[in-house]
Short mmCIF file of all heavy atoms in Angstrom, two decimals:
data_model
loop_
_atom_site.label_atom_id
_atom_site.label_comp_id
_atom_site.label_asym_id
_atom_site.label_seq_id
_atom_site.Cartn_x
_atom_site.Cartn_y
_atom_site.Cartn_z
N TRP A 1111 -0.84 42.45 32.82
CA TRP A 1111 -0.97 42.07 34.21
C TRP A 1111 -1.36 43.25 35.09
O TRP A 1111 -2.19 43.13 35.96
CB TRP A 1111 0.33 41.39 34.71
CG TRP A 1111 0.23 40.99 36.15
CD1 TRP A 1111 0.91 41.50 37.19
CD2 TRP A 1111 -0.58 39.96 36.67
NE1 TRP A 1111 0.57 40.86 38.35
CE2 TRP A 1111 -0.35 39.91 38.06
CE3 TRP A 1111 -1.47 39.05 36.09
CZ2 TRP A 1111 -1.01 39.02 38.90
CZ3 TRP A 1111 -2.14 38.17 36.94
CH2 TRP A 1111 -1.90 38.12 38.32
N GLU A 1112 -0.71 44.39 34.87
CA GLU A 1112 -1.07 45.61 35.63
C GLU A 1112 -2.50 46.04 35.35
O GLU A 1112 -3.23 46.44 36.27
CB GLU A 1112 -0.10 46.75 35.29
CG GLU A 1112 1.27 46.57 35.94
CD GLU A 1112 1.22 46.53 37.46
OE1 GLU A 1112 0.47 47.29 38.04
OE2 GLU A 1112 1.92 45.67 38.01
N ASP A 1113 -2.94 45.92 34.10
CA ASP A 1113 -4.32 46.23 33.77
C ASP A 1113 -5.25 45.32 34.52
O ASP A 1113 -6.31 45.78 35.03
CB ASP A 1113 -4.57 46.10 32.27
CG ASP A 1113 -3.92 47.13 31.44
OD1 ASP A 1113 -3.46 48.17 32.01
OD2 ASP A 1113 -3.81 47.00 30.20
N TYR A 1114 -4.89 44.04 34.60
CA TYR A 1114 -5.75 43.13 35.34
C TYR A 1114 -5.81 43.45 36.83
O TYR A 1114 -6.90 43.50 37.42
CB TYR A 1114 -5.17 41.68 35.15
CG TYR A 1114 -5.76 40.69 36.16
CD1 TYR A 1114 -7.04 40.17 35.97
CD2 TYR A 1114 -5.05 40.27 37.29
CE1 TYR A 1114 -7.57 39.29 36.88
CE2 TYR A 1114 -5.58 39.41 38.22
CZ TYR A 1114 -6.86 38.91 38.00
OH TYR A 1114 -7.37 38.02 38.90
N LEU A 1115 -4.69 43.80 37.39
CA LEU A 1115 -4.67 44.14 38.84
C LEU A 1115 -5.49 45.40 39.12
O LEU A 1115 -6.17 45.51 40.10
CB LEU A 1115 -3.24 44.35 39.37
CG LEU A 1115 -2.36 43.11 39.38
CD1 LEU A 1115 -0.93 43.43 39.85
CD2 LEU A 1115 -2.98 42.02 40.28
N THR A 1116 -5.41 46.37 38.18
CA THR A 1116 -6.19 47.60 38.29
C THR A 1116 -7.70 47.30 38.24
O THR A 1116 -8.48 47.79 39.03
CB THR A 1116 -5.82 48.57 37.17
OG1 THR A 1116 -4.42 48.90 37.33
CG2 THR A 1116 -6.63 49.85 37.27
N GLU A 1117 -8.03 46.41 37.30
CA GLU A 1117 -9.47 46.04 37.18
C GLU A 1117 -9.97 45.31 38.43
O GLU A 1117 -11.08 45.60 38.92
CB GLU A 1117 -9.63 45.14 35.93
CG GLU A 1117 -11.06 44.80 35.66
CD GLU A 1117 -11.24 44.02 34.36
OE1 GLU A 1117 -10.39 44.14 33.47
OE2 GLU A 1117 -12.18 43.22 34.27
N VAL A 1118 -9.16 44.43 38.98
CA VAL A 1118 -9.55 43.73 40.21
C VAL A 1118 -9.75 44.74 41.31
O VAL A 1118 -10.70 44.65 42.09
CB VAL A 1118 -8.47 42.65 40.60
CG1 VAL A 1118 -8.72 42.18 42.02
CG2 VAL A 1118 -8.49 41.51 39.62
N GLN A 1119 -8.85 45.69 41.45
CA GLN A 1119 -9.00 46.67 42.50
C GLN A 1119 -10.26 47.54 42.31
O GLN A 1119 -10.95 47.83 43.27
CB GLN A 1119 -7.75 47.59 42.53
CG GLN A 1119 -7.77 48.55 43.72
CD GLN A 1119 -6.51 49.37 43.80
OE1 GLN A 1119 -5.73 49.44 42.83
NE2 GLN A 1119 -6.29 50.01 44.92
N GLN A 1120 -10.61 47.82 41.07
CA GLN A 1120 -11.82 48.58 40.80
C GLN A 1120 -13.05 47.78 41.17
O GLN A 1120 -14.01 48.32 41.74
CB GLN A 1120 -11.90 48.99 39.34
CG GLN A 1120 -10.90 50.07 38.94
CD GLN A 1120 -10.82 50.27 37.41
OE1 GLN A 1120 -11.34 49.52 36.66
NE2 GLN A 1120 -10.21 51.35 37.02
N ILE A 1121 -13.02 46.48 40.90
CA ILE A 1121 -14.16 45.61 41.22
C ILE A 1121 -14.28 45.44 42.76
O ILE A 1121 -15.34 45.55 43.28
CB ILE A 1121 -14.01 44.25 40.53
CG1 ILE A 1121 -14.16 44.47 38.99
CG2 ILE A 1121 -15.07 43.24 41.04
CD1 ILE A 1121 -13.81 43.26 38.18
N ASP A 1122 -13.16 45.15 43.37
CA ASP A 1122 -13.13 44.89 44.80
C ASP A 1122 -13.28 46.14 45.62
O ASP A 1122 -13.71 46.13 46.77
CB ASP A 1122 -11.86 44.18 45.28
CG ASP A 1122 -11.83 42.73 44.82
OD1 ASP A 1122 -12.87 42.21 44.40
OD2 ASP A 1122 -10.76 42.13 44.88
N GLY A 1123 -12.94 47.30 45.02
CA GLY A 1123 -12.94 48.54 45.73
C GLY A 1123 -11.65 48.75 46.52
O GLY A 1123 -11.02 47.78 46.97
N ALA A 1124 -11.29 49.98 46.65
CA ALA A 1124 -10.03 50.30 47.39
C ALA A 1124 -10.30 50.06 48.87
O ALA A 1124 -11.37 50.27 49.39
CB ALA A 1124 -9.66 51.73 47.11
N ARG A 1125 -9.25 49.61 49.56
CA ARG A 1125 -9.35 49.40 50.99
C ARG A 1125 -9.39 50.77 51.72
O ARG A 1125 -8.71 51.69 51.31
CB ARG A 1125 -8.13 48.65 51.49
CG ARG A 1125 -8.13 47.21 51.05
CD ARG A 1125 -7.03 46.43 51.74
NE ARG A 1125 -7.61 45.13 51.91
CZ ARG A 1125 -7.41 44.42 53.04
NH1 ARG A 1125 -6.73 44.90 54.01
NH2 ARG A 1125 -7.90 43.23 53.13
N SER A 1126 -10.14 50.81 52.73
CA SER A 1126 -10.27 52.06 53.50
C SER A 1126 -9.00 52.32 54.27
O SER A 1126 -8.41 51.37 54.89
CB SER A 1126 -11.46 51.95 54.50
OG SER A 1126 -11.46 53.02 55.34
N THR A 1127 -8.56 53.54 54.28
CA THR A 1127 -7.37 53.89 55.06
C THR A 1127 -7.74 54.49 56.39
O THR A 1127 -6.91 54.85 57.15
CB THR A 1127 -6.47 54.89 54.26
OG1 THR A 1127 -7.28 56.04 53.96
CG2 THR A 1127 -5.95 54.27 53.01
N SER A 1128 -9.04 54.61 56.62
CA SER A 1128 -9.52 55.22 57.89
C SER A 1128 -10.40 54.25 58.69
O SER A 1128 -11.44 54.64 59.13
CB SER A 1128 -10.26 56.51 57.58
OG SER A 1128 -11.39 56.19 56.79
N VAL A 1129 -9.92 53.02 58.81
CA VAL A 1129 -10.72 52.04 59.57
C VAL A 1129 -10.67 52.44 61.02
O VAL A 1129 -9.63 52.71 61.57
CB VAL A 1129 -10.10 50.60 59.35
CG1 VAL A 1129 -10.81 49.62 60.29
CG2 VAL A 1129 -10.21 50.19 57.92
N LYS A 1130 -11.84 52.47 61.62
CA LYS A 1130 -11.95 52.81 63.05
C LYS A 1130 -12.39 51.58 63.80
O LYS A 1130 -13.03 50.66 63.27
CB LYS A 1130 -12.99 53.91 63.23
CG LYS A 1130 -12.68 55.16 62.44
CD LYS A 1130 -12.48 56.29 63.38
CE LYS A 1130 -12.35 57.55 62.60
NZ LYS A 1130 -11.16 58.25 62.77
N ILE A 1131 -11.98 51.51 65.05
CA ILE A 1131 -12.33 50.37 65.90
C ILE A 1131 -13.17 50.92 67.03
O ILE A 1131 -13.04 52.04 67.49
CB ILE A 1131 -11.07 49.67 66.40
CG1 ILE A 1131 -11.41 48.40 67.10
CG2 ILE A 1131 -10.26 50.58 67.32
CD1 ILE A 1131 -10.21 47.49 67.29
N ALA A 1132 -14.15 50.13 67.46
CA ALA A 1132 -15.03 50.50 68.58
C ALA A 1132 -14.18 50.75 69.82
O ALA A 1132 -13.23 50.02 70.07
CB ALA A 1132 -16.05 49.42 68.83
N PRO A 1133 -14.51 51.83 70.56
CA PRO A 1133 -13.68 52.21 71.76
C PRO A 1133 -13.45 51.05 72.70
O PRO A 1133 -12.42 50.89 73.29
CB PRO A 1133 -14.48 53.34 72.40
CG PRO A 1133 -15.33 53.87 71.32
CD PRO A 1133 -15.64 52.78 70.36
N GLU A 1134 -14.54 50.19 72.88
CA GLU A 1134 -14.39 49.12 73.87
C GLU A 1134 -13.38 48.01 73.42
O GLU A 1134 -12.96 47.20 74.17
CB GLU A 1134 -15.76 48.47 74.16
CG GLU A 1134 -16.48 47.92 73.01
CD GLU A 1134 -17.42 48.86 72.27
OE1 GLU A 1134 -17.26 50.10 72.39
OE2 GLU A 1134 -18.34 48.37 71.60
N TRP A 1135 -13.03 48.08 72.12
CA TRP A 1135 -12.03 47.11 71.61
C TRP A 1135 -10.66 47.66 71.51
O TRP A 1135 -9.71 46.98 71.22
CB TRP A 1135 -12.50 46.58 70.23
CG TRP A 1135 -13.69 45.72 70.34
CD1 TRP A 1135 -14.98 46.07 70.12
CD2 TRP A 1135 -13.71 44.32 70.68
NE1 TRP A 1135 -15.82 45.03 70.32
CE2 TRP A 1135 -15.05 43.93 70.66
CE3 TRP A 1135 -12.74 43.43 71.04
CZ2 TRP A 1135 -15.47 42.63 70.96
CZ3 TRP A 1135 -13.16 42.11 71.30
CH2 TRP A 1135 -14.47 41.74 71.29
N GLU A 1136 -10.49 48.97 71.77
CA GLU A 1136 -9.18 49.63 71.68
C GLU A 1136 -8.20 48.89 72.57
O GLU A 1136 -8.47 48.58 73.74
CB GLU A 1136 -9.27 51.09 72.14
CG GLU A 1136 -9.90 52.00 71.16
CD GLU A 1136 -9.09 52.29 69.91
OE1 GLU A 1136 -7.84 52.10 69.97
OE2 GLU A 1136 -9.65 52.71 68.93
N GLY A 1137 -7.03 48.61 72.04
CA GLY A 1137 -5.97 47.93 72.78
C GLY A 1137 -6.14 46.46 72.84
O GLY A 1137 -5.23 45.72 73.25
N LEU A 1138 -7.31 45.92 72.47
CA LEU A 1138 -7.57 44.47 72.52
C LEU A 1138 -7.40 43.83 71.17
O LEU A 1138 -7.12 42.63 71.07
CB LEU A 1138 -8.98 44.18 73.04
CG LEU A 1138 -9.27 44.64 74.48
CD1 LEU A 1138 -10.74 44.45 74.82
CD2 LEU A 1138 -8.37 43.93 75.47
N VAL A 1139 -7.61 44.62 70.13
CA VAL A 1139 -7.56 44.10 68.74
C VAL A 1139 -6.50 44.87 67.94
O VAL A 1139 -6.49 46.08 68.02
CB VAL A 1139 -8.94 44.23 68.02
CG1 VAL A 1139 -8.86 43.78 66.59
CG2 VAL A 1139 -9.98 43.42 68.80
#
Side-chain angles (χ1 to χ4, degrees):
W1111 180 248
E1112 285 300 319
D1113 290 345
Y1114 167 76
L1115 293 177
T1116 300
E1117 185 176 331
V1118 167
Q1119 187 175 14
Q1120 289 171 347
I1121 292 169
D1122 288 347
R1125 290 188 146 221
S1126 173
T1127 58
S1128 61
V1129 173
K1130 302 242 187 240
I1131 191 166
E1134 60 270 20
W1135 290 98
E1136 286 288 339
L1138 298 174
V1139 175

